[in-house]
Amino acid sequence: MSTDSRTPAADSDLQRALDAVGDPVRRSILRQLADADPWTIACGQFDLPVAKSTLTHHFRSLVDAGLLEQRDEGNRRMNRLVRDEFDRRFPGLLDLVLDQ
Amino acid sequence: MSTDSRTPAADSDLQRALDAVGDPVRRSILRQLADADPWTIACGQFDLPVAKSTLTHHFRSLVDAGLLEQRDEGNRRMNRLVRDEFDRRFPGLLDLVLDQ
DNA sequence: TGGGATGTTCGATCATCGTCGAACATAGTC
DNA sequence: GACTATGTTCGACGATGATCGAACATCCCA
């Protein structure tokens, strides 16, 4: 028999979601987003011990997973946590990250 | 300032859980376990395209995360999925893996 | 128009992890 | 006791990804 008989697309989405949530820096980003109002935090305002370019890398990962939405406001790039759609696709996963 | 102000032990446990669940081979193991009765599958009986030594590696990861329990039966090492305790600590996470 | 602030891109580096085969250990079988 | 089956351990290898600094682009402001 073949290795697995689930839909490959679904597992690919799940993989992306788990990867996004599996990094401690990204979890910290998610928590800081959850503690603030939408569109109130710019990329450079996160409290994180990594370089700017590293942050950009993590943002891309979160956007790809559907967890982060970004919007340019003049000079700065504002961020918003996307809870609804992600919760619908992966119930409980984001809560798990935010609760602990 | 410090990165985060959650309990570090809790996040370490979460990290281990997400790591365990974040690998496709390990997810396949979990699904095959869920589809069978407890203690009915030996290590060598999983349908997976990896070497024996690789399997051992994955089993260790799952045991460390509290997802797998093993018991020696003569020649073979039997396996059981540990749902209750894991579901209590990380609600919804295992379901997410098994459903998709 | 020049300077500072904010982000991204790019290339390089480093660590981690999944992978394998060979060797070993142990248990069951003839 | 030999032989086979089942798993683990060990060392090596390769790919992936997190990280950084330097360079660049863009916007705001004086």
Side-chain angles (χ1 to χ4, degrees):
Chain A
M1 191 199 298
S2 79
T3 316
D4 222 69
S5 52
R6 323 275 162 162
T7 119
D11 204 69
S12 156
D13 285 356
L14 178 61
Q15 183 71 63
R16 198 171 7 246
L18 291 175
D19 283 345
V21 151
D23 182 89
V25 172
R26 290 195 280 268
R27 283 199 298 276
S28 184
I29 293 176
L30 294 174
R31 286 163 183 159
Q32 294 182 44
L33 282 171
D35 288 345
D37 289 329
W39 305 123
T40 58
I41 305 189
C43 288
Q45 293 182 319
F46 288 91
D47 176 30
L48 289 167
V50 293
K52 284 192 307 174
S53 49
T54 304
L55 264 193
T56 300
H57 166 68
H58 287 303
F59 288 140
R60 176 163 37 235
S61 167
L62 291 173
V63 169
D64 287 348
L67 271 167
L68 181 65
E69 201 173 356
Q70 301 189 302
R71 169 213 287 176
D72 283 350
E73 270 184 21
N75 208 7
R76 315 190 305 165
R77 180 158 291 188
M78 310 305 291
N79 298 278
R80 168 193 165 242
L81 181 61
V82 182
R83 303 203 61 153
D84 29 341
E85 174 67 9
F86 193 84
D87 280 341
R88 196 184 62 76
R89 300 188 68 131
F90 309 104
L93 183 52
L94 183 54
D95 290 331
L96 223 54
V97 172
L98 300 181
D99 285 358
Q100 319 225 359
Chain B
M1 193 192 295
S2 82
T3 316
D4 222 68
S5 51
R6 324 273 162 164
T7 119
D11 203 70
S12 158
D13 285 356
L14 178 61
Q15 183 71 64
R16 196 169 10 243
L18 291 174
D19 283 345
V21 151
D23 182 89
V25 172
R26 291 194 281 269
R27 283 199 298 276
S28 184
I29 293 177
L30 294 173
R31 288 163 182 158
Q32 295 182 45
L33 282 171
D35 288 345
D37 288 330
W39 305 123
T40 58
I41 305 187
C43 288
Q45 293 181 319
F46 289 90
D47 175 30
L48 288 167
V50 294
K52 284 192 307 173
S53 50
T54 304
L55 264 194
T56 300
H57 166 69
H58 287 303
F59 288 140
R60 177 163 38 237
S61 169
L62 291 173
V63 169
D64 286 349
L67 271 166
L68 181 65
E69 201 172 355
Q70 300 190 302
R71 168 214 285 177
D72 283 351
E73 270 184 22
N75 208 7
R76 317 190 304 165
R77 180 158 290 186
M78 310 305 290
N79 298 279
R80 168 192 163 240
L81 180 61
V82 182
R83 302 203 61 152
D84 29 341
E85 173 68 9
F86 193 84
D87 281 341
R88 198 184 59 76
R89 300 187 66 132
F90 310 105
L93 183 52
L94 183 54
D95 289 331
L96 222 54
V97 172
L98 299 181
D99 285 358
Q100 319 224 1

